[in-house]
Amino acid sequence: MLRFVLMVNKQGQTRLAQYYEHMPMGERCALEAEVIRKCLSRTETQCSFFEYRGYKVVYRRYASLFFIVGVEGEDENELAVLEFIHALVETLDRYFENVCELDIMFNLEKAHFILDEMVMNGCIIETNKNNILAPVHLLDKAAAS
């Protein structure tokens, strides 16, 4: 099960954070800072996952953003989580037409909405881009009229 999803820039600033279990704010900030520091310090030749504080942390860098996912449990496949990250990026790319950090910053509610369409209570429920974006496009149409 997914426990958290983070989108972070190369300077280590969190642009999106979604947690699927309750965690006190102090602990959440400390966890974020340590996980981000570890991801940013790893080289391109190192693998894209590591264990930290009982979580398997899986990350991938796309352009200027790091997509970081923390999973819990021995039955989680790291490569499946990498595929989920790729599907998330492709979906964001399709919606924002080549997503960048500014798209996430200025349309944070849309980014959260897309993520919520893909994940519910830490379980991946949808990966089809058309099914994910259909309700988002309906909201856009309703807002335009």
Side-chain angles (χ1 to χ4, degrees), residues 91 113-114 117-118 126-136:
T91 306
F113 193 84
I114 290 169
E117 287 294 315
M118 296 180 78
E126 185 65 72
T127 56
N128 183 303
K129 291 183 253 337
N130 293 328
N131 293 346
I132 295 164
L133 293 176
V136 182

Side-chain angles (χ1 to χ4, degrees), residues 11-70:
Q11 289 76 36
Q13 299 165 318
T14 303
R15 296 303 180 201
L16 179 144
Q18 179 72 43
Y19 288 84
Y20 299 103
E21 67 179 354
H22 176 70
M23 192 179 296
M25 189 55 87
E27 188 178 330
R28 185 181 287 193
C29 291
L31 175 74
E32 260 183 54
E34 292 169 30
V35 166
I36 290 168
R37 195 174 322 109
K38 276 191 173 268
C39 289
L40 292 176
S41 67
R42 292 172 69 89
T43 65
E44 299 233 350
T45 58
Q46 292 177 300
C47 71
S48 295
F49 40 88
F50 58 91
E51 292 205 13
Y52 182 76
R53 276 200 199 172
Y55 296 108
K56 287 182 189 175
V57 178
V58 182
Y59 70 96
R60 182 96 189 251
R61 179 179 168 197
Y62 287 91
S64 65
L65 283 175
F66 282 84
F67 292 78
I68 304 169
V69 177

